[in-house]
Amino acid sequence: PGTGQDIDNAYPSNADLGYKGVVFGNFNSADAADEIVVDFGTLGLWYYDNGAWTQLSGLNPDKICGGLTISPGDEEIVADFGATGLWYWDGNIWFQMSGVNATGMFFVDDDDDGTDDLWVDFGTLGLWRNDFSSTYNSWTQISNLNAYYGLEVDFWVAGYPEAVWSFPTH
């Protein structure tokens, strides 16, 4: 964090076609290496670690992102499964965070507490932030407007990233 732009923490992504469907992170605290979580479309969501593939879900996610949430030892995944809602994978099991379809999301440690906070654009329901300091489901509405683009930046104080959003109709 704070060392440069993390293209996983942008919505839409920096790729020409938008959503990338691949997230790298240290999802397994037993080793220091990063693992890969990949959206294989109709084949579902898969996790690659130490030469082996494991299916995390048979559903095709609209979006996925990874962040350091509850513990500093490893990262977790948040996946938007469309009409099924927003789900959190802690490395073992899935928890539903919201029944609403997210239109965009990314992680940023904007309060510098050592855990990432999830910023989610829920379309016409507005922009929301989930602070993982105490639980995986602590939502605060930031704006009732529908955001268009969001990005993690670090321009106020070095090492303290912020979330910046665009509301083109306002």
Side-chain angles (χ1 to χ4, degrees), residues 100-117:
V100 177
N101 184 11
T103 59
M105 60 186 177
F106 63 89
F107 279 104
V108 61
D109 182 11
D110 57 14
D111 57 6
D112 196 40
D113 65 356
T115 60
D116 290 329
D117 306 300

Side-chain angles (χ1 to χ4, degrees), residues 77-94:
I77 291 291
V78 171
D80 172 43
F81 289 110
T84 307
L86 194 64
W87 291 77
Y88 173 86
W89 181 64
D90 71 356
N92 296 304
I93 59 175
W94 288 99

Side-chain angles (χ1 to χ4, degrees), residues 106 125 146:
F106 63 89
L125 296 178
N146 186 1

